[in-house]
Amino acid sequence: MADKQRNYEEVNAELEALVARIEDPDRDLSTLQADIAKALELIKWCREYVRGKNEEVGKLLEQWQ
């Protein structure tokens, strides 16, 4: 799983690179499964990160009401 110390931009850049490799019609198919599995891990990490940030913003907004 992606390291929690990484930032969103780094993880997103890694995910974009993986997607480009997955979509490459000339790619070596022997690593396709591993690339897809890694991409799914990164997507999960991003979703959790964004969910956490949404909760933080929600708490801040509650303070203004």
Side-chain angles (χ1 to χ4, degrees):
M1 176 156 295
D3 182 1
K4 293 292 185 185
Q5 298 300 327
R6 299 172 77 186
N7 67 38
Y8 181 83
E9 290 77 16
E10 291 172 335
V11 174
N12 191 51
E14 185 178 350
L15 180 56
E16 288 178 356
L18 275 170
V19 169
R21 282 200 326 239
I22 290 167
E23 292 178 339
D24 181 359
D26 297 324
R27 70 164 287 126
D28 177 12
L29 294 179
S30 66
T31 60
L32 181 61
Q33 183 177 0
D35 285 348
I36 291 171
K38 180 64 177 179
L40 291 172
E41 285 182 22
L42 295 175
I43 290 167
K44 181 180 177 184
W45 187 94
C46 288
R47 285 180 175 161
E48 290 172 2
Y49 179 86
V50 169
R51 187 176 299 118
K53 291 300 177 185
N54 282 338
E55 289 174 7
E56 289 176 22
V57 169
K59 289 176 184 176
L60 289 172
L61 291 175
E62 286 175 5
Q63 294 175 2
W64 286 79
Q65 294 178 359

